[in-house]
Amino acid sequence: MVTSSNKYLNDWIDDIAARAKPDKIVWIDGSEAQINELRELAVSTGSMIRLNEEKLPNCFLHRTDPNDVARVEGRTYICCKNEEDAGPTNHWMEPAKMYEKLYGLLEGSMKGRTMYVIPYSMSVVGSPFAKYGIELTDSTYVVLNMAIMTRVGEKVLEAIGDRTDFIRGVHTQGTLDPEEKYIVHFPEDNVIFSVNSNYGGNVLQGKKCFALRMASNQGRKEGWMAEHMLILGVENPKGEVRYVCGAFPSACGKTNLAMLIPPEGYRKNGWKTWCVGDDIAWLRPGEDGRLWAVNPENGFFGVAPGTSMKSNPNALESTREGTIFTNVALDTSDNTVWWEGMNKTPPAHAIDWLGRDWTPDSPDKAAHPNSRFTAPARNCPCKSPEFENPKGVPISAIIFGGRRAKTAPLVYQSRDWKHGVFVGSIMASETTAAATGQVGVVRRDPMAMLPFCGYHMADYWQHWLDMEQKIANPPKIFNVNWFRTDEEGNFIWPGFGDNLRVLEWILARCFDEIDAQECALGFIPKASDINLEGCDVDEKTVEGLLSVDRELWKAECEGIREY
Ligand code: GTP
Ligand code: SPV
Ligand code: MN
């Protein structure tokens, strides 16, 4: 069994164990043998169901508690010394008071259970970009998910060595009581606590807790940026690969854009796309004056509903092996999975996400709207050859976007970096099922970071502005909206693969290959400059999608001013 001679680490584990009182402690070594043992254990306790071994080898289904299906923003805290430093968009409590509360909830919470020690690395172990964490958890589900989403095990302990700057994380499933859930960050102490939850974004601490909330603090101090962004490489017929980052709020299309398949005509002409990341980007100024991005994760925690061979075949392909499905439906005919929007014919009989019998006549959805897959990046057919490159990839464009039924045009370009920061700061989007609360209400979500910025939002904007000084050749900044609707509420733009038509224009702008029209918002394409060959939409429709409604924008300006 692996252990560490790091006294700081061992003392901390002893302290947490003394409080939580687990029956035993198991260190995760990252071996296939240990992962298999834990899979078997999770199956034997009923936490996971093994799926069809031919069609979905080493794939499992997990159902969460019905009260524990999404991130809980109302119960997520940034506990720095001064309340002011957390800012008006984060919940805050005095650190000493919060520790007292958390230690109270932790006390004896692992009695009769095993505490796992997960050493994990965000980005490639040993690379200059890498940051390390240890998550202590009493959940096999968390261990198995972390082993997909991050690099775990012995080599991480070796890389940590005697260091004391790793992130110390504690997770206990506890009672799952919604009133006693706490997702807490102590950025000044490098500490994260997740208590009384067992849902993805609350408890897979490498993801939002570390790679965004803690890392945004680290980046501010160290001169880089941690962002809620996909990273995509677009290869043109000349064989040039140009990279974009995209910040869209939760469930607004990052995974889909990151894995997009070019429309047929584009494919014939030699266009290709390469996925570097689908949710988080760490961005640093390079020696060449450009901004470089790495994806600190090693897997995809993607939204299942709507993922189909038509919308996102690469995502579906990524889930064919070694994947954990959470809160989707079980197709009882062949022990596989199903969700709304996977294909046209639902199974005749399924078990829904609540464990009930389900048929196509059932009034409720079979899969939860925020049901997810946790898939290893290695399975992705369009995984970029640069995925593991510790230097990352150079970014030509940063794209902001959200769900706006009417206001925002299909695409516009900001005038410069400063204006681009403003465009990011005024982002707004209709809320989705990715967080608990009302769905479909427009809220401001600057840079798609509202739930993930680990410090004062105004300081965060200042950090964005300051970064300009560090980047001689900064990316151009754009805003997109795939979600404009017609009178009947149908999406007008076909989206998905066809979004490449907009990316082509964006990248042409970045390399001064095409001109644009200036309007009050910035630069807008001429409708005739969007390539519509083989597209279901005509130029007139694109003109409509690019139009800017003066009255709507006057009201929008009021909203922005108020915000
Ligand atoms: P998180 O993992 O929560 O951060 O979400 P995400 O930003 O990666 O969103 P994802 O790509 O999983 O898409 C969420 C939902 O938006 C799915 O139901 C998609 O089908 C839908 N969607 C994605 N791209 C498009 C698009 O271009 N057009 C339309 N109409 N829907 C889209
Ligand atoms: C999001 O909500 O932005 C996600 C899923 O990517 S979660 O891991 O729950 O944050
Ligand atoms: Mn996300």
Side-chain angles (χ1 to χ4, degrees):
M1 189 158 120
V2 289
T3 48
S4 168
S5 57
N6 183 323
K7 186 169 182 307
Y8 178 83
L9 168 60
N10 290 329
D11 287 351
W12 167 64
I13 294 175
D14 288 347
D15 176 54
I16 297 301
R19 296 171 188 276
K21 302 188 173 53
D23 276 13
K24 60 175 180 173
I25 300 177
V26 172
W27 293 60
I28 298 306
D29 60 22
S31 69
E32 196 56 32
Q34 191 186 39
I35 294 296
N36 276 326
E37 259 174 54
L38 290 173
R39 285 168 169 165
E40 291 311 325
L41 180 64
V43 169
S44 73
T45 62
S47 160
M48 301 212 300
I49 297 167
R50 189 181 275 279
L51 297 166
N52 186 314
E53 290 198 54
E54 257 134 60
K55 293 183 179 166
L56 296 168
N58 289 320
C59 291
F60 298 85
L61 168 64
H62 171 83
R63 299 189 192 108
T64 68
D65 184 272
N67 283 320
D68 194 34
V69 294
R71 282 182 295 99
V72 283
E73 296 179 4
R75 311 217 51 92
T76 301
Y77 288 77
I78 304 294
C79 294
C80 39
K81 266 185 228 102
N82 301 319
E83 179 169 11
E84 170 84 26
D85 294 337
T89 58
N90 282 311
H91 299 284
W92 178 88
M93 195 188 285
E94 201 183 299
K97 212 171 136 203
M98 181 57 96
Y99 275 122
E100 197 184 313
K101 185 173 266 311
L102 293 172
Y103 285 143
L105 293 167
L106 188 62
E107 187 61 39
S109 68
M110 296 189 191
K111 267 187 196 151
R113 310 174 63 81
T114 300
M115 182 171 90
Y116 298 96
V117 179
I118 317 173
Y120 66 96
S121 172
M122 300 316 293
S123 108
V124 178
V125 184
S127 82
F129 249 124
K131 299 257 178 209
Y132 307 115
I134 305 276
E135 180 167 354
L136 307 178
T137 177
D138 57 357
S139 162
T140 49
Y141 173 75
V142 167
V143 175
L144 292 167
N145 275 275
M146 285 291 284
I148 298 170
M149 294 305 297
T150 71
R151 285 105 175 154
V152 302
E154 221 170 337
K155 51 189 192 311
V156 179
L157 280 179
E158 277 162 27
I160 289 176
D162 290 331
R163 290 166 67 157
T164 56
D165 61 352
F166 57 89
I167 301 288
R168 291 170 288 150
V170 180
H171 165 236
T172 174
Q173 264 171 258
T175 60
L176 304 180
D177 178 353
E179 302 304 315
E180 290 291 337
K181 270 192 219 301
Y182 286 94
I183 316 302
V184 186
H185 311 72
F186 300 91
E188 288 143 352
D189 305 345
N190 287 341
V191 168
I192 304 168
F193 268 83
S194 309
V195 179
N196 291 328
S197 175
N198 201 29
Y199 168 78
N202 297 331
V203 299
L204 307 179
Q205 292 181 346
K207 201 172 185 52
K208 297 309 178 15
C209 301
F210 186 161
L212 289 178
R213 297 195 193 98
M214 299 303 255
S216 59
N217 276 284
Q218 296 172 328
R220 182 184 175 208
K221 268 191 225 114
E222 298 165 12
W224 53 280
M225 306 156 93
E227 300 297 332
H228 191 200
M229 290 179 178
L230 69 99
I231 311 167
L232 169 71
V234 177
E235 183 173 336
N236 65 25
K238 283 186 264 179
E240 298 161 333
V241 187
R242 297 165 169 180
Y243 295 92
V244 303
C245 278
F248 311 152
S250 302
C252 290
K254 288 182 300 300
T255 302
N256 277 273
L257 194 66
M259 298 184 186
L260 129 165
I261 293 191
E264 203 187 331
Y266 277 77
R267 283 204 303 278
K268 277 205 189 114
N269 289 334
W271 290 80
K272 292 186 186 123
T273 45
W274 301 105
C275 174
V276 184
D278 82 320
D279 198 51
I280 295 170
W282 285 358
L283 302 158
R284 290 179 204 229
E287 278 160 21
D288 61 355
R290 290 187 290 178
L291 190 62
W292 290 70
V294 299
N295 168 16
E297 301 191 282
N298 201 25
F300 310 115
F301 187 60
V303 177
T307 306
S308 69
M309 276 322 267
K310 191 161 172 284
S311 66
N312 194 347
N314 285 324
L316 218 47
E317 206 57 56
S318 303
T319 66
R320 290 289 153 81
E321 177 270 329
T323 293
I324 299 170
F325 297 90
T326 301
N327 291 340
V328 302
L330 180 69
D331 181 341
T332 47
S333 70
D334 60 353
N335 198 33
T336 58
V337 289
W338 188 81
W339 50 75
E340 278 71 22
M342 179 195 253
N343 48 29
K344 292 224 167 62
T345 40
H349 176 260
I351 306 290
D352 72 6
W353 71 277
L354 288 161
R356 305 173 304 187
D357 285 302
W358 184 94
T359 66
D361 299 328
S362 297
D364 299 322
K365 293 203 154 117
H368 187 274
N370 190 39
S371 54
R372 299 253 168 184
F373 52 80
T374 317
R378 62 165 186 271
N379 290 351
C380 181
C382 60
K383 182 182 169 198
S384 164
E386 304 300 322
F387 192 94
E388 244 93 51
N389 188 338
K391 268 180 63 185
V393 294
I395 300 303
S396 300
I398 289 176
I399 306 171
F400 294 118
R403 290 177 185 261
R404 295 306 298 268
K406 300 284 173 229
T407 325
L410 181 61
V411 58
Y412 67 96
Q413 180 186 356
S414 66
R415 294 191 172 80
D416 54 28
W417 179 270
K418 283 186 188 70
H419 180 224
V421 174
F422 175 71
V423 168
S425 76
I426 64 165
M427 268 174 70
S429 191
E430 294 152 22
T431 51
T432 65
T436 53
Q438 219 184 332
V439 168
V441 281
V442 174
R443 72 166 183 185
R444 298 276 153 209
D445 188 351
M447 282 83 170
M449 282 289 277
L450 179 68
F452 308 120
C453 180
Y455 58 100
H456 197 299
M457 190 56 82
D459 290 331
Y460 169 80
W461 291 331
Q462 186 63 55
H463 182 49
W464 265 84
L465 291 171
D466 292 344
M467 285 302 290
E468 189 183 13
Q469 258 57 61
K470 298 192 162 73
I471 323 163
N473 187 8
K476 304 270 192 286
I477 301 180
F478 299 80
N479 192 88
V480 300
N481 178 22
W482 316 137
F483 298 96
R484 268 222 199 167
T485 53
D486 62 18
E487 303 312 312
E488 278 94 57
N490 302 308
F491 295 121
I492 304 170
W493 177 247
F496 303 99
D498 286 303
N499 292 334
L500 184 59
R501 302 175 190 279
V502 176
L503 292 182
E504 183 185 7
W505 183 81
I506 285 176
L507 286 167
R509 287 294 296 165
C510 294
F511 289 82
D512 291 324
E513 294 164 352
I514 204 162
D515 55 4
Q517 340 181 59
E518 196 164 2
C519 76
L521 300 184
F523 299 104
I524 296 224
K526 290 179 218 146
S528 56
D529 280 342
I530 301 289
N531 178 356
L532 294 176
E533 216 182 299
C535 186
D536 290 342
V537 168
D538 59 18
E539 202 177 300
K540 188 118 196 77
T541 309
V542 171
E543 242 163 59
L545 285 166
L546 290 169
S547 67
V548 174
D549 185 308
R550 290 180 68 88
E551 292 312 309
L552 279 179
W553 273 92
K554 276 190 194 161
E556 183 73 7
C557 286
E558 282 313 309
I560 292 165
R561 198 166 277 131
E562 190 189 328
Y563 184 67

